[in-house]
Amino acid sequence: KQWYQRRVRGNMSKLLATGGLLFTYGPYAVDGVISPQSNIDFHNSLRQRDPRWGLRDVYHLKEMSEKEGMKLEMVIDMPSNNKTLVFRRLPPDSDTERSVREMSIKSVEAR
């Protein structure tokens, strides 16, 4: 998790202009649950190679992105049990950023 935070989270908001989008694609855990079995097996094989590796949880990515001025806008189910996550760069330290962040939390939690 720390490697991921330093490499990805630390650069997401720096590389995107306000309003810019970041798309990620792959298998993810959702609220701590990994499914189906093929994704569990993949996660375990990654962890065996390096304990820092493995599937990331959508909820944790949402939390990390908010701390970096990003908003998780969409989670799209894709073929082969993958997902596309769409993040948007928010304006820096604005009232709009805070209210959008609060709305995004409610929106993602409602799904």
Side-chain angles (χ1 to χ4, degrees):
K1 185 175 175 181
Q2 290 175 345
W3 173 89
Y4 188 84
Q5 288 173 337
R6 283 194 315 271
R7 290 286 173 93
V8 177
R9 187 188 80 180
N11 290 313
M12 281 196 306
S13 61
K14 293 175 188 172
L15 297 174
L16 291 173
T18 298
L21 298 175
L22 171 70
F23 291 78
T24 64
Y25 173 84
Y28 294 94
V30 177
D31 297 324
V33 177
I34 300 173
S35 66
Q37 186 63 45
S38 60
N39 282 351
I40 295 169
D41 296 341
F42 179 57
H43 173 75
N44 290 336
S45 72
L46 292 171
R47 302 280 300 187
Q48 286 175 350
R49 292 181 200 166
D50 188 322
R52 298 173 296 176
W53 297 356
L55 273 58
R56 302 296 175 216
D57 194 292
V58 172
Y59 178 78
H60 293 136
L61 295 174
K62 179 173 97 36
E63 283 185 330
M64 287 188 328
S65 70
E66 289 170 357
K67 291 176 185 173
E68 296 298 322
M70 303 283 292
K71 173 189 168 195
L72 177 58
E73 294 232 329
M74 254 185 257
V75 178
I76 305 165
D77 289 324
M78 302 297 288
S80 301
N81 304 301
N82 290 307
K83 298 185 181 311
T84 294
L85 308 183
V86 182
F87 297 90
R88 181 179 301 278
R89 175 76 168 106
L90 299 173
D93 297 323
S94 66
D95 290 337
T96 303
E97 178 182 354
R98 282 188 286 280
S99 62
V100 169
R101 187 178 298 164
E102 290 168 4
M103 288 187 303
S104 71
I105 291 169
K106 292 175 186 171
S107 171
V108 171
E109 287 174 351
R111 291 179 193 186

